[in-house]
Amino acid sequence: MGAEPLVLGIETSCDETGIGIVRGRTLLSNTIASSMAEHARYGGVVPEVAARAHLEALQPAIEAAVAEAGVSLADLDAVAVTSGPGLAGALMVGVGAAKALAVSLDRPLYAVNHLVGHIAADILTGEEVEYPTVALLVSGGHTSLLLVRDLVSDVELLGETMDDAAGEAFDKIARILGLPYPGGPEIDRAAAEGDPDAVRFPRGLSRASDMAAHRYDFSFSGLKTAVARWVERAEAAGERVSVPDVAASFREAVVDVLVTKALDACARHDVPRLLLGGGVIANRRLREVALERAAAAGVAVRIPPLSLCTDNGAMIAALAAELIRSGRPASTLAFGADSTLPVTEIQVAVGA
Amino acid sequence: MILGIDTSLGTAVAVVEADGVVRSEAASPDPLAHAEVIGVLLERALADAALGPVGATAAPTPVEITHVAAGMGPGPFTGLRVGIAAARAFALARSLPVVAVPSHDAAALAVLLADPHAPSEPFAVVTDARRREFAYTVYDGLDDDGHPVRIAEPALSPRDALDELLAAGGVRRIDVSAVPASMVALAAARAVAAGRTLTGGEPLYLRAPDVTLPGAPKKVGA
Ligand SMILES: [Zn+2]
């Protein structure tokens, strides 16, 4: 295998079936089939619905990715798959398919970490990536703050959410405000007309007393309760609830705590770089505030295109290509889905 | 040669020649480790198949897989999907057709081939469906294609109601704890030879996803 291996990546950790194909650091295709619409009526991702959708979407997605890349499966140098973290039943669909693909083609298989995959997505932008960097990964499934010293060998978890992921918080608040699922874009739309300073909602784990144990951790359940209480109180008092104002104030609280903690991590680790990843990066206000405050702090912000920020297979392929580049042996076939895989395990079941 | 894969109970992989000669079988009874073991079992079954038919001393012919047979359940969903995903991906990589086989058909075939001279009587293949239910399918003998005759489609029954239900129809109960992949492959071989489809391409879930529609947001109190 050369330094520019042709790798197909399979990602099924949540509600997106992602198949990506890369040649080294070059993106050839990034096919994403989402079951989001099927979850809309439930107001959140239903694991069994997601897993069923993965099974049905996988083969067409692989066929589409291969066609778009203009390669054939026989050309592949390696197969890559997300082993975790994520929804166990959803992950297992991808793991089963990836193993069979690798055995059928007689190619090496790289089982990798979903969160580190989000960081690897940045490599596919074609720009020079510098380390160390702080990475803030925000989606419906995770909210993590990482310190990346080396993509393939040294990723440290600085903090993560203690309860809901930020994306989940958006979904729940949308429901309280009578807005449809998924909540992120709906809150964003409503907030555009609102006053972010209308209500001062709490910033979770941001008090001085939180700094010792949870400096870089997040919590959104208190914020959710605060919003619900505020709305209930206003309704009970017969006041008119301004959905735009509540949406904007809620969004501001989430964005504030995310950006503040990320830039605090940059400052305290003396790392002038911040990488944003995960589907919630689509939130316009989050990007705006991050860019504005980072500029003031002398931190360079990198934001991959949205198609590489949301869960996708290309980032999984990209991470495997980097592992190959650094001479890492393939994974053995003896691994499973690990729903709580720690971020320090960049690759699982590394072979001899 | 046909590669058979079934993960409706444990994980089972086999390679069978078109005429039914078993080349290899590799299986794990673990009802929870499908994703962990599927790759190793596939690799082992293919390697063993290259050694020739099980128990034969004749020189082996090269293994050329022509079809992939997938056990479509019923079975616990999470594990079941691993085998179907694997079967589809293996076939896709080599541009092979996937033959969908009801897993109970394979189990019934094993029962009927074990004693070909047994008098014909209806029997039910019964497997664990979790949540205090059994999955069962009723068969009676083999048809001209050598395939078990399904006289009632796969269904679920509460565990404590199944015996009464089967007795009422004069159906013998046969509990099955493993589906042999060789029988999945053989059922597929016979279906292919007869130009038949045994089941659709979808898994036999028999149960809708377990979800509750959200009501109005809960009050949190003031
Ligand atoms: Zn993600």
Side-chain angles (χ1 to χ4, degrees):
Chain A
M1 219 180 310
E4 297 287 300
L6 186 68
V7 184
L8 179 142
I10 299 178
E11 152 64 38
T12 62
S13 68
C14 192
D15 63 339
E16 258 123 13
T17 312
I19 303 294
I21 300 178
V22 304
R23 193 182 295 283
R25 294 179 169 174
T26 308
L27 176 64
L28 299 186
S29 62
N30 184 13
T31 302
I32 299 169
S34 175
S35 61
M36 185 185 285
E38 294 174 53
H39 304 287
R41 53 196 292 247
Y42 308 115
V45 174
V46 180
E48 176 62 19
V49 171
R52 289 187 183 193
H54 283 307
L55 181 62
E56 297 322 311
L58 255 182
Q59 181 164 344
I62 294 174
E63 288 168 332
V66 164
E68 193 192 333
V71 299
S72 84
L73 288 172
D75 299 331
L76 294 177
D77 293 307
V79 176
V81 67
T82 304
S83 170
L87 303 170
L91 288 165
M92 283 182 208
V93 177
V95 169
K99 286 183 176 180
L101 200 58
V103 170
S104 187
L105 294 167
D106 194 19
R107 295 294 191 281
L109 176 62
Y110 286 78
V112 304
N113 187 301
H114 173 83
L115 293 172
V116 184
H118 273 300
I119 305 165
D122 192 31
I123 285 170
L124 298 174
T125 56
E127 290 159 44
E128 199 55 47
V129 178
E130 272 187 89
Y131 298 108
T133 184
V134 168
L136 174 66
L137 307 179
V138 198
S139 77
H142 42 72
T143 303
S144 308
L145 196 54
L146 312 173
L147 175 57
V148 186
R149 295 189 191 85
D150 185 304
L151 180 66
V152 297
S153 62
D154 190 351
V155 179
E156 182 188 337
L157 178 71
L158 298 177
E160 62 191 334
T161 183
M162 313 301 291
D163 38 61
D164 293 344
E168 273 179 290
F170 274 91
D171 293 337
K172 288 176 178 174
I173 298 305
R175 256 183 74 203
I176 290 169
L177 295 177
L179 301 171
Y181 173 89
E186 295 293 334
I187 298 265
D188 228 13
R189 204 168 301 134
E193 313 285 305
D195 173 10
D197 299 320
V199 190
R200 172 79 194 174
F201 288 124
R203 272 63 172 160
L205 297 180
S206 296
R207 284 187 301 257
S209 56
D210 295 319
M211 288 302 115
H214 297 292
R215 185 171 198 109
Y216 302 121
D217 289 326
F218 304 94
S219 167
F220 299 106
S221 69
L223 171 59
K224 184 192 70 186
T225 307
V227 174
R229 273 204 187 126
W230 192 90
V231 171
E232 274 173 35
R233 189 206 50 78
E235 281 171 347
E239 293 166 23
R240 192 187 61 89
V241 173
S242 162
V243 170
D245 281 354
V246 176
S249 300
F250 158 75
R251 183 181 67 174
E252 206 63 12
V254 174
V255 166
D256 183 26
V257 83
L258 289 173
V259 174
T260 300
K261 288 192 178 230
L263 290 176
D264 180 37
C266 289
R268 293 190 36 118
H269 288 90
D270 200 18
V271 172
R273 283 173 291 273
L274 173 62
L275 169 68
L276 303 184
V280 174
I281 302 306
N283 191 291
R284 209 153 15 96
R285 184 69 186 149
L286 174 56
R287 292 200 307 263
E288 221 171 75
V289 172
L291 288 169
E292 202 178 281
R293 287 207 222 155
V299 170
V301 179
R302 299 183 60 90
I303 309 177
L306 190 60
S307 59
L308 290 170
C309 276
T310 52
D311 291 348
N312 67 86
M315 68 188 199
I316 301 305
L319 176 52
E322 289 304 304
L323 290 165
I324 292 167
R325 176 188 285 259
S326 69
R328 202 70 66 83
S331 301
T332 69
L333 289 171
F335 65 90
D338 185 345
S339 58
T340 59
L341 185 68
V343 74
T344 43
E345 284 192 46
I346 298 166
Q347 179 189 355
V348 306
V350 183
Chain B
M1 258 174 263
I2 296 174
L3 172 68
I5 301 175
D6 190 279
T7 55
S8 65
L9 292 170
T11 303
V13 181
V15 176
V16 173
E17 293 180 7
D19 60 4
V21 173
V22 178
R23 278 292 188 111
S24 64
E25 293 218 71
S28 156
D30 192 329
L32 297 172
H34 309 91
E36 281 87 342
V37 301
I38 186 74
V40 173
L41 294 180
L42 275 169
E43 204 171 45
R44 191 186 307 156
L46 290 169
D48 287 354
L51 302 175
V54 172
T57 49
T61 49
V63 176
E64 203 196 311
I65 304 295
T66 57
H67 300 77
V68 180
M72 304 303 285
F77 314 147
T78 308
L80 177 63
R81 275 188 289 266
V82 172
I84 297 172
R88 288 178 180 171
F90 189 99
L92 182 63
R94 299 188 184 192
S95 303
L96 304 175
V98 174
V99 182
V101 178
S103 299
H104 285 185
D105 281 17
L109 191 55
V111 169
L112 292 163
L113 294 183
D115 188 4
H117 304 295
S120 175
E121 59 161 344
F123 66 92
V125 168
V126 177
T127 55
D128 179 19
R130 307 230 170 118
R131 300 194 188 177
R132 289 194 292 257
E133 286 188 313
F134 287 118
Y136 70 101
T137 311
V138 184
Y139 298 90
D140 192 356
L142 293 172
D143 62 21
D144 291 344
D145 299 328
H147 200 77
V149 179
R150 223 182 286 142
I151 57 174
E153 292 299 310
L156 297 175
S157 162
R159 287 191 189 172
D160 49 18
L162 184 63
D163 280 332
E164 202 177 323
L165 190 150
L166 295 179
V171 175
R172 185 161 65 104
R173 169 178 175 155
I174 299 180
D175 285 90
V176 167
S177 59
V179 172
S182 58
M183 291 297 123
V184 174
L186 179 59
R190 290 179 173 184
V192 168
R196 281 171 60 177
T197 301
L198 300 177
T199 182
E202 303 308 309
L204 297 165
Y205 287 123
L206 305 187
R207 207 184 261 149
D210 188 20
V211 285
T212 44
L213 284 170
K218 278 194 291 287
K219 292 276 177 206
V220 292

